[in-house]
Amino acid sequence: MVITALAALVVAGCSAEPPAARPNVPAVSSSAPVSSSAAKEVPKTCGGLATLGEITEILNAAVTGQTLPIVGVPEPKIGRTARLDCYYGVPDGQPVTAAVVTIGLATYTDETAAQRRLASTIETEREAGAKSSQVPVGPGQGVLLLGAKRMLVASRGRTTVVITVIPDLLPEDRAANALSHIAERALTPR
């Protein structure tokens, strides 16, 4: 009886259709092999991304001035559900564009929408002359862009992070390591 049941399973397995092919993964991918449920939600304050002290420590350079947030709104057209941009080292009386470090964290409806936004950012920077390379960010990968500014883009699930630092504050040879640490800090739930 057991042999008959095993034979029936073997025959059923042989007559089943072959498994579906795996979908192609986009060539530009910086997502970590972490499930969407592990993605970080956008915090309410910049301290939820990184503090000024943490930025100073990671960059091994004094970052002084204000930390100013700009809370983004959902944009259904691109699949964005939330966004927080934090500007670090803004001199008193200056606009956020005077920041020496910027961290933008956003969430999207799904991983595909998040990857599309990162690919768009990467392409824009490459067209402006930035050199790009993949760098580790926690358990995943990010893309380092070296051009007019030091930039790193990465994602975890449906959450993306974009970090920029002015070149005077971060030499090119230290950019990958420092930006990777900031990205991991920003992407990790507290």
Side-chain angles (χ1 to χ4, degrees), residues 122-160:
I122 293 165
E123 187 57 31
T124 298
E125 292 300 313
R126 284 180 180 159
E127 287 174 359
K131 298 181 296 182
S132 66
S133 60
Q134 289 211 338
V135 296
V137 175
Q141 293 287 310
V143 176
L144 176 67
L145 296 150
L146 300 173
K149 55 194 163 205
R150 313 295 185 234
M151 179 185 280
L152 186 133
V153 299
S155 69
R156 186 158 300 150
R158 60 184 189 85
T159 304
T160 65

Side-chain angles (χ1 to χ4, degrees), residues 41-132:
E41 294 300 318
V42 174
K44 300 205 181 297
T45 67
C46 292
L49 296 179
T51 66
L52 192 61
E54 290 169 328
I55 298 289
T56 295
E57 183 179 325
I58 292 169
L59 294 177
N60 195 30
V63 179
T64 60
Q66 302 177 70
T67 299
L68 301 174
I70 294 183
V71 177
V73 296
E75 286 194 34
K77 184 177 175 182
I78 61 170
R80 188 171 75 203
T81 57
R83 180 176 176 162
L84 176 65
D85 290 325
C86 295
Y87 300 86
Y88 299 86
V90 179
D92 288 335
Q94 296 292 313
V96 294
T97 55
V100 296
V101 177
T102 304
I103 302 174
L105 193 81
T107 54
Y108 293 86
T109 53
D110 55 38
E111 290 182 40
T112 301
Q115 288 300 311
R116 259 196 311 267
R117 295 308 300 163
L118 285 185
S120 174
T121 300
I122 293 165
E123 187 57 31
T124 298
E125 292 300 313
R126 284 180 180 159
E127 287 174 359
K131 298 181 296 182
S132 66

